[in-house]
């Protein structure tokens, strides 16, 4: 099953063009949707999750017309929103069981098996009797994944899932997500390059409502291969370099700026080839350098 998004457009009442002619084809596996805040990622995710309408364009999930057959989509959709809202003082088991009832699972013993299976999948089995309101951020995210997987969805959408997680929690979350991606389309929307680099084989970069790149992560890296150069400079010189070169990024390493510069031609003057990374692709695309 494929998800085919064709020429999707959405303009809000305030005039913001959140989706501007967005076309993407997404296969099963983990797909990273990378973009800075305001790029239009959530607008796209909410549209795919049937929570908001587009102005024009089409979306097909297999033979389902996503924009017009919302009930059919909801049967095969798992959604982990950015904000999960209120966390009731209910145990993890009871809450997930309740959500399963809402999803239409009426057989109590089958439901119990499914709920316990999901809680162990996301490593919350031993916490099943604890109140979800007492969970840490990472545990809540894992609970969110469990609820998104109720009923074996074909399409799972996760919106900014690792924001606010510490490194250990983020790793646990990565491991769970990467297991899910084997037979399902998982779309991971994020502004964190590392999320995409670690998890996704395919990706798109969005900014200001437009798709700037779509393809495999290897293809993305291929676009800058051999064209990124780095140099340690002093803080005082930073402005001068930014004026004279196509600076992709500058970050402090040991208190000194390390700049990455884009150039088709061999560079000298103490510039050395930088190992290409997805962050450089991201910034080069956003700054219209490639
Ligand atoms: P992202 O998820 O990439 O941060 P969003 O889809 O949330 O991007 O937002 C895209 C643009 O649309 C932003 O400029 C945002 O301010 C605007 N926007 C989002 N939701 C609304 C809304 N309900 N009404 C008006 N503008 C909105």
């Amino acid at each position: 099953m494929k998800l085919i998004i064709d020429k999707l457009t959405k303009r809000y009442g305030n005039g913001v063009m959140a989706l501007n002619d967005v076309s993407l084809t997404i296969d099963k596996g983990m797909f990273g949707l990378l973009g800075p805040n305001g790029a239009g990622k959530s607008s796209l995710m909410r549209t795919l999750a049937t929570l908001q309408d587009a102005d024009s364009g089409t979306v097909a999930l297999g033979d389902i017309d996503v924009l017009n057959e919302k009930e059919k989509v909801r049967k095969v959709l798992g959604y982990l929103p950015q904000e999960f809202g209120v966390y009731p003082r209910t145990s993890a088991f009871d809450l997930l069981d309740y959500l399963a009832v809402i999803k239409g699972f009426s057989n109590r013993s089958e439901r119990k098996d499914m709920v316990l299976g999901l809680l162990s999948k996301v490593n919350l089995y031993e916490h099943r009797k604890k109140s979800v309101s007492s969970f840490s951020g990472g545990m809540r995210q894992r609970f969110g994944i469990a609820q998104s997987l109720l009923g074996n969805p074909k399409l799972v959408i996760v919106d900014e899932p690792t924001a606010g997680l510490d490194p250990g929690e983020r790793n646990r979350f990565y491991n769970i997500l990467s297991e899910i991606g084997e037979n399902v389309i998982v779309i991971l929307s994020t502004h964190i390059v590392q999320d995409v680099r670690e998890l996704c084989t395919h990706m798109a970069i969005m900014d200001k409502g437009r798709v700037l790149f779509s393809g495999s992560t290897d293809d993305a890296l291929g676009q800058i291969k051999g064209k990124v150069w780095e140099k340690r400079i002093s803080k005082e010189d930073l402005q001068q370099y930014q004026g004279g070169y196509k600076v992709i990024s500058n970050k402090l390493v040991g208190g000194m700026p390390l700049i990455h510069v884009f150039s088709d031609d061999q560079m000298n003057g103490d510039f050395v080839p930088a190992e290409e990374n997805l962050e450089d692709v991201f910034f080069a695309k956003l700054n219209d350098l490639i």
Side-chain angles (χ1 to χ4, degrees):
M1 193 187 271
K2 265 188 206 203
L3 180 71
I4 301 175
I5 302 166
D6 193 33
K7 300 194 185 75
L8 204 59
T9 298
K10 172 75 181 178
R11 186 194 291 273
Y12 288 113
N14 58 1
V16 172
M17 197 76 172
L19 299 175
N20 191 348
D21 207 21
V22 169
S23 296
L24 291 170
T25 298
I26 303 178
D27 259 311
K28 73 177 179 198
M30 298 281 307
F31 186 91
L33 181 66
L34 191 59
N37 287 333
K41 305 181 299 296
S42 294
S43 299
L44 180 59
M45 299 298 99
R46 287 197 301 265
T47 310
L48 299 177
T50 73
L51 298 173
Q52 111 181 4
D53 290 321
D55 297 337
S56 60
T58 60
V59 181
L61 176 64
D63 55 12
I64 304 173
D65 173 351
V66 173
L67 302 182
N68 295 306
E69 297 180 301
K70 294 185 181 168
E71 283 308 315
K72 280 194 185 172
V73 178
R74 287 171 194 160
K75 286 210 171 79
V76 294
L77 173 77
Y79 181 50
L80 176 58
Q82 216 165 352
E83 295 287 333
F84 204 41
V86 184
Y87 289 86
R89 256 191 268 268
T90 313
S91 76
F93 177 88
D94 286 346
L95 181 54
L96 199 55
D97 187 62
Y98 169 73
L99 293 169
V101 172
I102 293 179
K103 272 238 161 182
F105 293 91
S106 51
N107 182 310
R108 182 184 286 262
S109 75
E110 271 176 31
R111 202 169 64 230
K112 185 175 177 190
D113 288 346
M114 176 172 70
V115 166
L116 290 177
L118 283 172
L119 288 172
S120 40
K121 185 171 202 146
V122 300
N123 299 329
L124 287 175
Y125 183 84
E126 64 186 275
H127 302 293
R128 68 193 180 281
K129 291 179 184 157
K130 287 191 193 146
S131 154
V132 178
S133 62
S134 72
F135 280 4
S136 68
M139 290 162 80
R140 287 179 185 194
Q141 282 302 57
R142 283 185 274 139
F143 182 82
I145 280 289
Q147 68 77 27
S148 78
L149 293 177
L150 284 167
N152 279 327
K154 301 271 180 281
L155 170 64
V156 177
I157 291 174
V158 261
D159 202 354
E160 302 274 353
T162 62
L165 297 190
D166 69 36
E169 284 174 335
R170 181 178 292 194
N171 263 340
R172 276 193 287 280
F173 191 74
Y174 280 165
N175 287 335
I176 291 162
L177 270 188
S178 65
E179 263 177 45
I180 299 166
E182 285 171 13
N183 286 308
V184 177
I185 300 171
V186 183
I187 305 179
L188 177 77
S189 154
T190 183
H191 63 275
I192 301 171
V193 178
Q194 190 194 357
D195 287 352
V196 175
R197 190 178 60 218
E198 298 210 6
L199 289 170
C200 303
T201 50
H202 287 77
M203 61 177 285
I205 298 175
M206 267 185 91
D207 191 31
K208 302 190 182 81
R210 287 182 183 276
V211 175
L212 305 182
F213 169 84
S214 165
S216 69
T217 33
D218 287 345
D219 287 345
L221 291 170
Q223 298 214 340
I224 55 161
K225 198 172 167 55
K227 297 177 182 172
V228 181
W229 310 80
E230 68 180 21
K231 183 177 179 179
R232 277 167 180 266
I233 59 169
S234 66
K235 276 182 191 158
E236 300 79 59
D237 294 339
L238 184 57
Q239 216 170 3
Q240 187 194 332
Y241 276 94
Q242 276 169 332
Y245 296 94
K246 292 177 175 175
V247 177
I248 300 176
S249 66
N250 78 79
K251 51 179 132 191
L252 293 179
V253 177
M256 296 262 289
L258 174 74
I259 55 171
H260 276 199
V261 164
F262 183 83
S263 168
D264 280 316
D265 302 319
Q266 168 94 31
M267 290 189 72
N268 45 31
D270 295 337
F271 277 99
V272 294
E275 199 177 320
E276 53 270 354
N277 67 56
L278 218 44
E279 205 164 50
D280 286 334
V281 182
F282 183 50
F283 288 119
K285 283 282 179 199
L286 293 188
N287 295 320
D288 214 12
L289 299 176
I290 52 173

